[in-house]
Amino acid sequence: MRYMQKDLTMTRDPKRYPLALLTSLAITLGMLILTLTLIYQAHRGMEAAKLRATSDSVEDLVFAVNDRIRSLTEPPVTALLLLRGSTLAQAETLDERLEHLDVLADILRINHIVDAAYMGYPNGEFFLLRRMPEDDTFLGAPGATQFVLQTITLDENNQLKAELHFYSSRLDLLERRANPDTGYAPQQHNWYQKAAGTNDIALTDPYVFYTTSAVGLTLARKAADTPAVAGIDVTVSALSSQLEALKLTANTEIAIVDREGTVIAYPDPSRMMAGPDHTPQLAYLEQLDVPALDRVRAMPVSTEARQFSIADGEWFGISAALRPMHGAGLQMLIAIPADELLADAWSLVRQQLWIALGLVLVLLVLGWRLGRQLGKPLEQLATEVGELSRFRFDTPISTESRIREAHGLGLAIEDMAGTIRSFQSISTTLNRSQNLDALLHGILNELISILNEKRGAIYLFRQPLSQLELAVSVGPERTAVIDGIAQHQTDTDITRDLRQRLTDHAVYAVLRNRTNELVGVLLIDLDEAHFGALDENTIRFVNEIAGSAAVAIETRQLIEGQQRMIEGVIRLIADAIDAKSAYTSGHCERVPKLAKMIVDKAIDTRSGPFTHFEMTEWERYEFHIAAWLHDCGKITSPEYVVDKATKLETIYNRLHEIRTRFEVLHRDLEIDYLNRRLAGEDDDQARPRKDALQAELQADFQFLAQTNIGGEAMDDSAVERVVRIGDRRWLRYFSDRLGLSHDERARHTAEPEPALPVEETLLADKQEHIVPWDEGRKPPVARDDPRNRWGFDMALPDTAYNYGERYNLTIRRGTLTPEERFKINEHIVQTIIMLDELPLPDRLSKVPRLAGTHHEKVDGTGYPRQLPGEALSVPEKAMVIADIFEALTAVDRPYKEGKTLTQALGIMRNMAREGHVDPAMFNLFLQSGVYLDYARGFLGEQQIDEVDVKVYTVAES
């Protein structure tokens, strides 16, 4: 085919279509000349319109800025008149003036542009209330400060005393202290002097405020019937921030200046200041060092844009007059780079040029196709078939032609390409579908498309029930279950049965796997025309596709079956761990559910530290597996350690042995008493001694029994009493080497057996109480252990166990020795080691780490690796929260009651503050309501109390 195509091309006469080519070129060239002419005229008009629009925009800007100036001066006037007419002017003492504090606060609350409201007195006294600036370090104010009161009053010695008062938003006094800045005298300042000399409102020039260094102006007026002067500070910083939004282009320079050239507003407020830091002043225009604005200021006042040149290029400048303020004329100076102002015009030119180029190309193609329309349809189809031969089955096939045979051939090739694409889609569906439902839908839809039908269904065979169950369906509602289908039936019998029970107008394909076992049935409904034309080729085609589908379905069923089995084994392990100890019942089931709830909220959150947190479907599954296996290492933890309820408990409570020794001592006292009586001692002497010693034994045993419970922390005196009681002596007449296990005998070999009877102490720490580490099973938790390939960093006790009676009874807090506490903590080490030994696939490679980090702390003091917070992922931090909250609120622990929500959250809040859990994750857990959703599902009603989320929210670093 390729050689034939080459030969046809070589014999082509290049002069066969000269008219079409010339026609195409003539039309294209004429259109191009017309387009370029129109573009040139449009550009000139755009440039003029742009300059006119700029002038109109400047007029709008002037109106907006004038409106802003009006908002700066008019609303505060009302507040000033209110303040001037108040009795604050007649108040002579600080207490009398403080009665007007709420009036000044209301002025500040209502007028957001008012920075401060105050009253100045002719004797130098001053009473000013300002809102707290955004700078939280202002004057060293307390954290909740909303208002700052500055006062200058005459004390009892007629001396001026300056003070600072800090108030909350509700005017609660937070702090009162002396003001170190005592040099302020109101009667010496411009605002006071201007207002004192007139009965009208005095308005100052913009200046830098004495206390806050903000730029603003002051409105002042003499109080009624008194020489005091009321004042209000109004900030004009908003003008500067507004100018940035009013810039016509990105690099537009804009400023507002007064008649002397002082800069009243500029987008960068930091450049408006001049002079030293302790006495800042407003800068002059030339101090901004913006040559373009200097040139604009020299222009006549007008809203018309004028072009000028400076060293850095061409500019357009506008100098517009603003509403007068404080008696000085204001100008708004605007300098716009010419290239930016006319950027839209040039962009339109470029756009039109591209459109013109596109039209040229379109006309060339159109002319060429018109010239070839009558002679080359078969050549085009040959080219497209060549693309199909190179496996480009997505090539569109042209079917429109004036030649009937070419048109028919195009339709046939198009159908063939569509069929091949459908085969590709089926192949992709069989190989890539992630679950059985998607696989079945894909197969059915592609087959329906290939056969050009609209309805079909797939039934799957359920072996135990001997029935076909509807899996997927396209079209009308179908019978959900078909009973009475047997595995041994032939395909013909099954098809015949289904034609009678479902529909006869369909093509059926029985699905069988590699071992020829029945998997299901596929059917495609046929309309009347297609059913009448049904032949063996169509049936064979559907059966061949069905064969591949059956194998794919079997594979997917096996995969899903294996996944269900893995899930079952994981849950079996978790249930076994929960069943092993009544103290942790249900823990391994509840923690995964709570952890998933937290992670889902982190994924849904679109703010804060979790803004970009996402998890793929496999990452979610990996986390799910890890959460269920997070405590699988507990299967190696001895129950008598995990369940140890008293200090002397091992497999049983050894307090009974000690009680027996007390019984021996008690009977020894009885025997001693009787011997004394037999020896002739008077009963009045022998009995009180015996009774006192026996009472002492009773008290000592009660003390040891209470100590054994381990409910409260032991102090030094209690430890000394245990030692003193333990020093009592008793005689042992029977060997302690008989009836021992191999391990017990091994611990006695270090010392020879003494001759009987032997005197022993009541409480003993003996060598046989020490259980050394078995070197072959010593956990590799030390950082320098060569076997430690997991990065563990835990302190390993010197011995595996220490059963010493005194050692255990003198445990300061709780019931566990350091060795036993390590044994419990070791469960996380065993979890990591066990999971690391599993042949996990790559997509589950993080399961050991995810399952083994829920006892780490963000301050790096957790175990087993002492990982800091930055080394923990979001899912790992979620596991920490879930594990702790479940443990605190669990109601199935026989040794404690589940805590209420407020109790548990209070403990966790302290843990977040102390660096044990991540504050951001704890806040998410709290603020998202996950704690409450979990509580409603797993906590008792008595545990769900009212929670104020704000109280428990922790500040994040």
Side-chain angles (χ1 to χ4, degrees), residues 451-455 499 503-507 524-535:
L451 296 179
N452 197 23
E453 297 294 346
K454 298 180 181 179
R455 296 168 295 178
R499 288 188 182 279
T503 176
D504 186 44
H505 284 56
V507 56
I524 307 295
D525 290 313
L526 304 177
D527 59 22
E528 290 294 336
H530 290 166
F531 182 73
L534 182 64
D535 56 16

Side-chain angles (χ1 to χ4, degrees), residues 78 80 160 259 846 882:
T78 303
L80 178 63
L160 290 175
R259 187 176 294 115
K846 295 180 182 178

Side-chain angles (χ1 to χ4, degrees), residues 256-372:
I256 297 177
V257 299
D258 63 9
R259 187 176 294 115
E260 286 73 28
T262 303
V263 180
I264 305 301
Y266 186 68
D268 184 358
S270 63
R271 297 177 62 185
M272 292 171 55
M273 300 300 175
D277 294 339
H278 62 280
T279 57
Q281 298 176 351
L282 292 176
Y284 288 100
L285 183 63
E286 57 267 18
Q287 291 177 298
L288 290 183
D289 193 22
V290 183
L293 292 179
D294 293 335
R295 288 289 301 274
V296 173
R297 185 165 180 258
M299 293 180 177
V301 175
S302 171
T303 58
E304 181 180 353
R306 290 178 171 84
Q307 190 170 6
F308 63 92
S309 299
I310 57 176
D312 57 355
E314 294 292 322
W315 292 73
F316 284 94
I318 302 170
S319 173
L322 296 177
R323 178 187 301 276
M325 184 171 65
H326 65 274
L330 297 184
Q331 288 179 272
M332 183 165 65
L333 309 178
I334 304 174
I336 312 169
D339 56 347
E340 292 185 2
L341 183 63
L342 301 178
D344 291 343
W346 284 110
S347 176
L348 180 61
V349 170
R350 287 191 295 270
Q351 181 180 7
Q352 291 175 336
L353 284 175
W354 281 111
I355 294 174
L357 180 60
L359 287 174
V360 169
L361 295 176
V362 169
L363 290 173
L364 283 172
V365 173
L366 181 60
W368 183 257
R369 293 193 63 182
L370 287 173
R372 294 171 57 87

